[in-house]
Amino acid sequence: MRFLVRAQISTDTGNRMIKNPQFMQNLEDYIKKVNAEASYFFEAGGDRTFVFIVNLESSDMIPSVAEPLFQDFGARLNFIL
């Protein structure tokens, strides 16, 4: 199943993340880990927003995509089928 995963990160959290010298490497590692077919970055509702297109074999794989975004980026998520 192909999902659009939208992760929104508050301005304060995003500002702290951007200051981390490992931020870009962490983001690249995440994109490779979930094997994202496409990645987009933009502003939505005043928040930094990441959108990833991922193909998951089953819905029980959602936590493996979601948890790093929750834990490492403090993101609010939407999975759109």
Side-chain angles (χ1 to χ4, degrees):
M1 294 180 282
R2 185 169 285 137
F3 286 89
L4 182 146
V5 180
R6 182 177 61 193
Q8 289 189 272
I9 299 166
S10 72
T11 302
D12 291 336
T13 301
N15 288 344
R16 284 191 302 274
M17 286 182 352
I18 296 294
K19 291 178 184 176
N20 177 351
Q22 296 298 314
F23 169 70
M24 287 305 295
Q25 185 61 51
N26 294 342
L27 185 57
E28 289 175 12
D29 291 346
Y30 174 79
I31 291 168
K32 288 178 187 174
K33 176 183 173 188
V34 300
N35 198 26
E37 296 176 15
S39 303
Y40 303 96
F41 307 92
F42 53 92
E43 175 279 332
D47 292 331
R48 287 180 173 89
T49 304
F50 306 159
V51 171
F52 305 105
I53 307 300
V54 296
N55 191 26
L56 304 178
E57 292 180 24
S58 63
S59 59
D60 66 339
M61 295 177 67
I62 289 174
S64 68
V65 173
E67 284 304 321
L69 294 169
F70 286 138
Q71 294 178 20
D72 299 339
F73 299 107
R76 292 182 315 279
L77 299 178
N78 296 101
F79 280 75
I80 303 165
L81 184 60

